[in-house]
Amino acid sequence: MASAREELEKDLEEVKELLKNATRKRTHDVLMAEKYKLEMEIKNLPPPKLKEDTIEEEKSPAGGYTVKINSYGWDQSDKFVKIYITLNGVQQLPAENVQVHFTERSFDLLVKNLNDKNYSMTFNNLLKPISVEGSSRKIKTDMILVLCRKKREEKWDCLTQVEKESKEKEKASYDTSDPGEGLMNLLKKMYAEGDDEMKRTINKAWVESREKQGKGDMPLDI
């Protein structure tokens, strides 16, 4: 599931694209307001944290419990993709109890005997190849940082191919050869999700646009 940051960044990219095609001043102003709002939301997002309720426990063959970690935070630099996993007390373990196995397109994390449990996380089908030799992990206070060394210093839009395909399918619903149609789709989305002030602004922009055009087009179904 995409994180809040990823969703906001995806919305921001759509707004920026549609701003390029906006010709009406009122519509341009609406999009600029939405752009500013999204930028502020992204800026004010808290650091990534692990939600304890997204951890699942399974009985391991050895008779103990293996806890599958399904929640994480991630970031990137020019050279590394960084995955943050929160585990209380992990810094108290011997270093050899925190193991990460890397391949060119995956990694497996295994934490042994933390409070009488094992913890695991697996990432398959990473978005782009990584350097096995250049990748590593760091143990911090209540946190593990997995550092995947990029083979090429380029931006990753997400972590895995599955996430990329999901985002492309969603984006396709807004992509169109007609810039006006794409703008209309975004305005409808903004109206449906916006507060009262945003709805009043969009309604006003639509009415003014129709009056200037003097055409009989149907208004937004809102």
Side-chain angles (χ1 to χ4, degrees), residues 80 92-93 104 118 130 155 177 179:
F80 289 94
Q92 299 173 3
L93 290 176
E104 191 174 71
N118 298 328
I130 62 173
K155 181 182 178 182
S177 58

Side-chain angles (χ1 to χ4, degrees), residues 14-136:
E14 286 186 5
V15 171
K16 287 179 178 179
E17 285 298 317
L18 290 168
L19 265 169
K20 297 177 182 178
N21 299 308
T23 58
R24 298 288 178 179
K25 182 179 185 300
R26 177 66 64 176
T27 303
H28 184 273
D29 290 344
V30 170
L31 289 170
M32 285 298 296
E34 181 67 9
K35 176 176 175 289
Y36 176 77
K37 177 183 175 183
L38 289 168
E39 288 173 342
M40 292 305 297
E41 288 185 33
I42 292 172
K43 181 179 179 181
N44 294 328
L45 281 176
K49 291 184 178 180
L50 179 69
K51 295 181 180 179
E52 293 183 359
D53 59 359
T54 60
I55 294 178
E56 301 174 0
E57 291 189 357
E58 287 187 358
K59 196 73 174 294
S60 71
Y65 282 94
T66 296
V67 181
K68 286 188 175 181
I69 305 170
N70 295 322
S71 197
Y72 57 90
W74 77 284
D75 197 358
Q76 62 182 306
S77 62
D78 291 340
K79 296 182 178 180
F80 289 94
V81 172
K82 308 171 186 179
I83 297 92
Y84 303 86
I85 302 103
T86 300
L87 283 176
N88 291 334
V90 68
Q91 73 277 7
Q92 299 173 3
L93 290 176
E96 59 268 21
N97 282 31
V98 181
Q99 302 173 358
V100 184
H101 173 68
F102 296 97
T103 72
E104 191 174 71
R105 297 298 286 266
S106 71
F107 73 83
D108 294 294
L109 167 69
L110 177 62
V111 181
K112 297 181 178 179
N113 197 26
L114 177 59
N115 299 322
D116 299 321
K117 296 177 183 177
N118 298 328
Y119 293 79
S120 68
M121 169 180 273
T122 300
F123 264 95
N124 293 314
N125 299 315
L126 291 172
L127 182 65
K128 298 178 181 181
I130 62 173
S131 167
V132 174
E133 296 79 11
S135 299
S136 61

Side-chain angles (χ1 to χ4, degrees), residues 182-201:
L183 178 59
M184 185 68 66
N185 288 338
L186 181 63
L187 288 174
K188 287 182 179 181
K189 178 183 177 184
M190 288 166 58
Y191 186 93
E193 299 176 353
D195 55 20
D196 291 341
E197 182 178 355
M198 177 61 71
K199 290 179 180 179
R200 285 194 295 269
T201 302

